[in-house]
Amino acid sequence: MIAPDMPHNEAERLTVLRDLQLLDSESDKGFDRLTELATQIFDVPMSMITLIDEERQWFKSHQGLKVCETPRRISFCGHVVADGQPMVVNNALRDARFSDNPLVTGDPFIRFYAGYPLFVEPEACVGTLCLIGMLPRAFEETDMQRLKLLAAQAEELIQLHILRVQANQRDRA
């Protein structure tokens, strides 16, 4: 297993992430509808909106998975955040980065992964919108375009959350 690298701007990225006030927040119907839609569009059993902090990936929304976080060092999404680029793993058993990952060799037995980075600022990738399957599969360019559109919607939901936080802060002042 190859653990994800740290982004070159990790300290700044973490500051942006904390300022969002999304980590460990209540569930949100908008985010939940988006992950539910992603599972239906791509016919996958699991979809998540992840936020990556120092030690974990926390799921703002998750479909088909019972846990709400996993360690960053074993996360697929940590690789996406480190690179700031989409990533597709067609068969995790045949990918040296993941073949002996506990999420591949054990529950939930990940075989397919597609993740798209979520940015709130040009240099601040805070997490991903990701798809997970338990069977290997191909992921075409049209699939990536659809995932990109859904990720853009997740970024819009994050921006709306920021506006709500700012409005609440003004109301308290």
Side-chain angles (χ1 to χ4, degrees):
M1 182 186 86
I2 299 172
D5 291 331
M6 292 292 167
H8 70 280
N9 62 338
E10 180 68 354
E12 297 86 1
R13 189 191 74 76
L14 288 170
T15 298
V16 170
L17 175 64
R18 282 195 186 75
D19 289 348
L20 293 176
Q21 298 179 32
L22 265 175
L23 281 171
D24 301 309
S25 61
E26 299 288 322
S27 67
D28 182 296
K29 288 181 184 176
F31 288 100
D32 292 342
R33 284 187 204 112
L34 191 58
T35 55
E36 184 177 356
L37 182 62
T39 60
Q40 291 179 18
I41 288 171
F42 293 101
D43 193 26
V44 292
M46 294 171 265
S47 174
M48 282 82 71
I49 293 173
T50 69
L51 299 172
I52 309 289
D53 71 9
E54 294 96 339
E55 299 294 325
R56 66 187 172 143
Q57 70 174 350
W58 178 76
F59 307 132
K60 174 60 184 162
S61 177
H62 54 97
Q63 302 293 322
L65 195 61
K66 295 178 181 98
V67 299
C68 63
E69 65 182 58
T70 60
R72 180 179 183 172
R73 64 182 162 67
I74 64 170
S75 72
F76 284 60
C77 297
H79 291 270
V80 175
V81 169
D83 296 336
Q85 298 292 319
M87 181 178 79
V88 175
V89 177
N90 300 105
N91 186 345
L93 285 174
R94 294 189 178 167
D95 190 307
R97 296 170 295 181
F98 305 108
S99 61
D100 60 347
N101 184 302
L103 300 172
V104 173
T105 60
D107 195 33
F109 299 99
I110 296 172
R111 296 299 178 265
F112 167 77
Y113 171 90
Y116 207 92
L118 301 177
F119 289 89
V120 293
E121 295 179 6
E123 291 293 317
C125 180
V126 295
T128 71
L129 171 63
C130 70
L131 312 169
I132 293 176
M134 293 173 284
L135 297 172
R137 73 182 272 180
F139 202 70
E140 306 299 330
E141 184 58 34
T142 55
D143 294 321
M144 185 58 73
Q145 291 304 314
R146 289 182 192 117
L147 185 59
K148 180 180 180 180
L149 288 170
L150 291 174
Q153 188 61 41
E155 290 173 341
E156 289 290 326
L157 289 171
I158 292 170
Q159 293 298 331
L160 288 172
H161 172 80
I162 292 169
L163 292 174
R164 284 193 301 268
V165 167
Q166 291 171 344
N168 286 340
Q169 289 171 343
R170 279 192 305 272
D171 290 346
R172 282 191 225 125

